Amino acid sequence: MAAVSGLMWRPLRQVSGLLKRRFHRTAPVALQVTVRDAINQGMDEELERDEKVFLLGEEVAQYDGAYKVSRGLWKKYGDKRIIDTPISEMGFAGIAVGAAMAGLRPICEFMTFNFSMQAIDQVINSAAKTYYMSGGLQSVPIVFRGPNGASAGVAAQHSQCFAAWYGHCPGLKVVSPWNSEDAKGLIKSAIRDNNPVVMLENELMYGVPFEFPPEAQSKDFLVPIGKAKIERQGTHITVVSHSRPVGHCLEAAAVLSKEGVECEVINMRTIRPMDMETIEASVMKTNHLVTVEGGWPQFGVGAEICARIMEGPAFNFLDAPAVRVTGADVPMPYAKILEDNSIPQVKDIIFAIKKTLNI
Amino acid sequence: MKNMPAALVSRVLRRIAQKSARRVPVASCNYSNDATFEIKECDLYLLEEGPPVTTVLTREEGLKYYRMMLTVRRMELKADQLYKQKFIRGFCHLCDGQEACCVGIEAGIKPSDHVITSYRAHGTCYTRGISVRSILAELTGRRGGCAKGKGGSMHMYTKNFYGGNGIVGAQGPLGAGIALACKYKGNDEICLTLYGDGAANQGQIAEAFNMAALWKLPCVFICENNLYGMGTSNERAAASTDYYKRGNFIPGLKVDGMDVLCVREATKFAGDYCRSGKGPIVMELQTYRYHGHSMSDPGMSYRTREEIQDIRSKRDPITLLQDRMVNSKLTTVEELKEIGAEVRKEIDDAAQFATTDPEPHLEELGHHIYSSDPSFEVRGANPWIKFKSIS
């Protein structure tokens, strides 16, 4: 009897379970992906999608990437598409630009952007300006990527932020992801873009996991270049940032929220072309502005934002002068106490916000 | 059969002779179809054998090369004139004297091959297919210029021709990259990467050599050695002036760059070498520029008038071809004069266009910042001035 009822009940239970599943909307499992893996995924998907895409740089192939960002790609795609270069930045950046001119879609990795200074002529004069100089005849679909800005204890020659330098130049697009979603979406957009794109990553963010929304798991997930994201809505003050400092701004916002100050935190995502609309709309709402960046203050990203705010409609909505939080105006020192005080910390952001709000 | 073209030509000549009483009536001419010439043997580096020391030139080829070289020569002289009349501004680097290089190279490659060169590019622009009209109009900065007036002398592009590069030596790695694309696509195409004796000392040229050799890129590196990098002679700039050996581990050829046939054969040889998958090769073309470095350089402070005159009288590339062709009956002086008249007309018409075509619309100032993008606004000299940018 029990055996027969078991034969009857089990299938019934299974069927009812299936029916239940159809009518239940189960939440997809929250996926945690590090920034490193997000960039890796983005490159992998684009390499698979278009055989004209290839990656070159120092240690990108057999070493799996100096920071392991290109892990597994050489094994999957081989020598033709993942190319280890000698230590010749000017040479291989120029080779990448030439390949792009001739119809390929290279990703040129600089081990850090500090080394891109050796190659900066190829980035600016050969890549950025060519479409314009040729009257629209010659496009350069290339991506330059790599870690930018301060790391930890790597001292002055390995810690410079190039956002302002590259952001200065017409003809270039410059993106600066903060989290994994940014990183994957932006690298994919950059690779698909027919223009030279500089992607400024951050070494300290590579290992940080973030929740990956379901749409980011799609092979066609793109984050548009030129559009900022409001990471946190707020009413009292607009805090604009890019790259790792976005996280610090959110921490500062959390602390201030307990004191009743609601910060609107904007993640720029793109340095050039800058999304001034989003920033202006926010400032017109909150009447206060603080910019936060890792780079040096003089002629920096924050300086540009402030200048444009002055020149635009949002100026009349400011109740206090806009203020910048930046890296200290020194070459990056080595000793920990000095280094810690050479980059914007959460307390520095909170202080600037409170000063601006006069509290 | 062989006499047919000759008979045709003689008929034409007789008609012309009838038209103009001044012309000496020419008896029926028997043009040769082709002739064999001896050409200077190339010095070799890391090569067992080099290009042939004789070559066959057909009448058709000869007339084509003559016309092309003469067009480049006259175009450059016209540019000189237009510069002095202030129709051309800024930099203007002329290549008269070096015509055998651009024409000889073009004769040794296919249209589907790729070429990139330095700022002394007008001749190569022409041989790669940009019309004299478009070149001169670009020099005068008009909307009919090949870059719509946006580029100027150093930034002219066309299919399979990547300029015109203003930064000395930058074209070295770029050319190696174009060669990488050829190899990547597996299409049997090669890239000819030209640079000068001055640029040969750029570090990035050595970097390009290294990677091209390492990855066996189908790149012909061509050093146009015109003996002076701006005002500095070879000996004052280079510890080793054997530019064809400067590829170190890359084989090289030293070529008489004033002889279009020598350049042609060397280019074919080098092209075959690359196409066979052996990797890059270096070619040094020994040539000479009659003008100074640019229009702001009279070119006399670092070299003598006698030197220039000497080369003009003994090694001029156009005269050399002309003499060869006339002496072997591939053509006559009269026929070449006719070609000269046609070329003069072409240049004059082009100059007329270049000086009367309007400048680009001011609205175009912001165009061509980005490719394939929707239009956006570009800032002008103050916040109220905006230009629309269209791809």
Side-chain angles (χ1 to χ4, degrees):
Chain A
M1 221 40 218
V4 172
S5 74
L7 275 167
M8 270 181 57
W9 282 119
R10 234 199 12 244
L12 272 175
R13 240 180 283 138
Q14 280 173 343
V15 169
S16 77
L18 273 166
L19 287 170
K20 267 198 214 124
R21 226 165 275 144
R22 189 169 301 174
F23 294 122
H24 249 348
R25 216 143 344 105
T26 47
V29 176
L31 192 59
Q32 291 272 313
V33 177
T34 61
V35 171
R36 170 186 289 114
D37 290 342
I39 302 171
N40 185 285
Q41 259 181 50
M43 288 200 290
D44 190 356
E45 286 170 10
E46 296 306 301
L47 282 157
E48 196 176 279
R49 177 179 178 269
D50 184 349
E51 59 177 24
K52 296 192 292 296
V53 177
F54 72 99
L55 171 67
L56 75 128
E58 293 154 10
E59 311 298 349
V60 296
Q62 298 187 19
Y63 198 85
D64 270 337
Y67 299 99
K68 307 299 179 213
V69 178
S70 53
R71 178 169 37 210
L73 296 180
W74 174 67
K75 205 161 168 201
K76 184 171 175 186
Y77 295 101
D79 285 330
K80 179 180 171 182
R81 304 193 60 204
I82 313 291
I83 304 176
D84 275 338
T85 65
I87 308 174
S88 312
E89 274 76 6
M90 197 165 184
F92 72 69
I95 282 178
V97 174
M101 288 179 175
L104 297 183
R105 304 187 75 89
I107 307 166
C108 175
E109 177 178 304
F110 291 119
M111 196 181 280
T112 76
F113 267 95
N114 300 286
F115 315 139
S116 75
M117 256 204 283
Q118 310 248 302
I120 202 162
D121 175 69
Q122 296 289 2
V123 178
I124 306 300
N125 280 320
S126 301
K129 297 179 185 171
T130 293
Y131 191 68
Y132 188 87
M133 292 191 298
S134 66
L137 286 181
Q138 179 66 67
S139 64
V140 187
I142 188 170
V143 176
F144 297 100
R145 53 159 290 274
N148 173 62
S151 177
V154 295
Q157 293 178 346
H158 288 74
S159 305
Q160 188 168 330
C161 174
F162 287 83
W165 284 31
Y166 288 119
H168 190 54
C169 302
L172 268 190
K173 294 189 183 180
V174 182
V175 298
S176 181
W178 164 55
N179 63 10
S180 303
E181 190 186 326
D182 293 352
K184 182 175 177 186
L186 286 173
I187 188 66
K188 286 167 74 75
S189 290
I191 293 168
R192 295 189 194 191
D193 202 305
N194 286 336
N195 295 288
V197 182
V198 168
M199 174 143 132
L200 304 170
E201 300 160 9
N202 188 295
E203 197 230 315
L204 297 173
M205 296 303 292
Y206 281 152
V208 179
F210 288 91
E211 197 171 299
F212 227 39
E215 57 276 15
Q217 297 169 38
S218 145
K219 284 194 176 169
D220 280 310
F221 171 67
L222 301 172
V223 164
I225 295 178
K227 199 87 191 68
K229 182 178 179 206
I230 299 176
E231 296 288 348
R232 182 188 194 283
Q233 301 264 5
T235 46
H236 297 124
I237 185 165
T238 301
V239 183
V240 185
S241 184
H242 72 96
S243 189
R244 183 161 178 262
V246 172
H248 299 326
C249 293
L250 289 168
E251 279 182 56
V255 169
L256 286 164
S257 180
K258 295 199 191 91
E259 298 175 36
V261 176
E262 295 304 325
C263 303
E264 180 145 289
V265 177
I266 300 180
N267 171 7
M268 290 176 70
R269 285 177 159 182
T270 299
I271 306 292
R272 183 172 190 117
M274 201 183 287
D275 181 2
M276 268 322 279
E277 269 179 33
T278 301
I279 300 174
E280 272 171 343
S282 175
V283 171
M284 279 152 73
K285 183 176 80 174
T286 67
N287 312 123
H288 298 85
L289 174 62
V290 166
T291 68
V292 183
E293 70 200 278
W296 293 318
Q298 213 160 294
F299 310 104
V301 175
E304 176 65 15
I305 294 172
C306 290
R308 288 204 209 184
I309 289 288
M310 293 255 278
E311 289 177 343
F315 171 72
N316 289 312
F317 289 78
L318 281 175
D319 287 345
V323 150
R324 302 165 293 163
V325 177
T326 69
D329 204 8
V330 296
M332 184 65 73
Y334 168 67
K336 188 156 197 325
I337 184 175
L338 300 180
E339 185 182 61
D340 286 347
N341 285 279
S342 298
I343 55 165
Q345 301 176 58
V346 177
K347 66 167 174 66
D348 304 321
I349 301 171
I350 292 173
F351 188 91
I353 291 172
K354 283 186 166 173
K355 271 285 201 183
T356 305
L357 289 170
N358 207 16
I359 54 176
Chain B
M1 274 298 135
K2 214 164 66 163
N3 281 326
M4 249 177 57
L8 193 72
V9 170
S10 72
R11 237 186 295 136
V12 170
L13 281 171
R14 241 175 267 141
R15 217 175 287 146
I16 295 170
Q18 283 159 14
K19 274 190 190 160
S20 160
R22 275 197 300 143
R23 286 189 205 237
V24 174
V26 176
S28 74
C29 274
N30 253 331
Y31 288 122
S32 320
N33 262 342
D34 56 53
T36 304
F37 296 105
E38 276 177 21
I39 53 177
K40 190 156 168 232
E41 189 176 352
C42 296
D43 289 354
L44 301 178
Y45 176 69
L46 297 184
L47 285 167
E48 291 300 313
E49 39 178 42
V53 294
T54 61
T55 183
V56 174
L57 176 70
T58 69
R59 184 177 133 76
E60 194 185 322
E61 286 168 345
L63 291 175
K64 183 169 83 176
Y65 304 159
Y66 180 83
R67 181 185 292 270
M68 283 173 84
M69 288 201 288
L70 192 63
T71 304
V72 172
R73 172 70 56 91
R74 294 258 171 89
M75 177 179 74
E76 294 293 75
L77 295 179
K78 179 58 73 176
D80 170 284
Q81 194 181 55
L82 290 173
Y83 193 91
K84 287 168 177 157
Q85 292 170 326
K86 301 209 191 301
F87 283 107
I88 301 176
R89 308 173 316 117
F91 289 132
C92 191
H93 308 88
L94 301 176
C95 70
D96 49 309
Q98 299 183 204
E99 296 85 356
C101 295
C102 52
V103 174
I105 286 169
E106 192 63 34
I109 58 173
K110 305 176 198 165
S112 54
D113 289 326
H114 307 262
V115 178
I116 188 170
T117 186
S118 69
Y119 48 77
R120 198 176 301 284
H122 307 162
T124 313
C125 291
Y126 175 70
T127 54
R128 279 270 96 187
I130 309 179
S131 69
V132 180
R133 231 165 113 93
S134 301
I135 294 171
L136 290 183
E138 186 59 36
L139 294 180
T140 55
R142 308 301 168 104
R143 58 179 82 155
C146 55
K148 304 190 175 76
K150 301 287 267 296
S153 169
M154 301 182 289
H155 310 296
M156 300 195 253
Y157 301 77
T158 188
K159 186 171 197 295
N160 295 347
F161 176 59
Y162 306 81
N165 285 274
I167 306 298
V168 174
Q171 73 274 23
L174 292 176
I178 295 162
L180 186 143
C182 293
K183 182 170 180 178
Y184 191 103
K185 292 183 193 175
N187 55 21
D188 199 44
E189 290 163 13
I190 60 175
C191 182
L192 294 95
T193 304
L194 284 77
Y195 58 98
D197 49 283
N201 300 316
Q202 273 270 312
Q204 55 186 322
I205 296 287
E207 293 187 14
F209 283 164
N210 182 39
M211 285 181 272
L214 199 56
W215 300 331
K216 292 203 170 12
L217 303 180
C219 188
V220 182
F221 290 102
I222 303 178
C223 179
E224 277 182 292
N225 179 10
N226 58 19
L227 308 183
Y228 302 93
M230 201 156 154
T232 306
S233 64
N234 287 173
E235 304 71 48
R236 295 205 304 124
S240 161
T241 56
D242 287 326
Y243 297 100
Y244 70 112
K245 292 184 185 171
R246 293 279 293 271
N248 195 359
F249 31 75
I250 300 178
L253 315 167
K254 189 156 87 170
V255 181
D256 179 359
M258 301 305 259
D259 178 353
V260 68
L261 298 180
C262 209
V263 176
R264 179 182 75 172
E265 291 311 308
T267 305
K268 279 187 191 163
F269 175 86
D272 287 342
Y273 181 93
C274 284
R275 275 182 244 271
S276 68
K278 297 198 187 100
I281 189 169
V282 175
M283 245 167 68
E284 177 187 340
L285 302 180
Q286 301 216 294
T287 184
Y288 198 82
R289 53 166 162 81
Y290 294 141
H291 268 84
H293 164 70
S294 71
M295 286 305 297
S296 27
D297 169 28
M300 301 293 188
S301 60
Y302 47 88
R303 51 186 198 172
T304 62
R305 213 177 282 275
E306 288 72 45
E307 178 185 282
I308 305 169
Q309 251 321 103
D310 193 56
I311 302 213
R312 222 188 256 280
S313 59
K314 294 193 186 129
R315 294 180 62 211
D316 183 277
I318 300 175
T319 309
L320 180 60
L321 179 65
Q322 175 172 334
D323 289 346
R324 268 184 170 152
M325 287 183 68
V326 169
N327 292 342
S328 54
K329 304 241 190 303
L330 289 174
T331 185
T332 59
V333 170
E334 284 71 29
E335 184 175 31
L336 296 183
K337 277 208 181 107
E338 276 169 38
I339 294 177
E342 286 164 18
V343 168
R344 182 176 299 115
K345 181 164 193 318
E346 184 184 350
I347 305 297
D348 285 346
D349 286 350
Q352 175 67 12
F353 174 70
T355 50
T356 53
D357 198 39
E359 284 191 292
H361 291 287
L362 186 56
E363 296 87 67
E364 288 176 28
L365 188 146
H367 290 357
H368 309 124
I369 296 284
Y370 294 133
S371 166
S372 334
D373 267 11
S375 69
F376 65 101
E377 257 181 6
V378 159
R379 189 187 159 114
N382 65 39
W384 296 274
I385 301 174
K386 301 264 187 235
F387 293 98
K388 190 168 177 195
S389 185
I390 293 179
S391 286

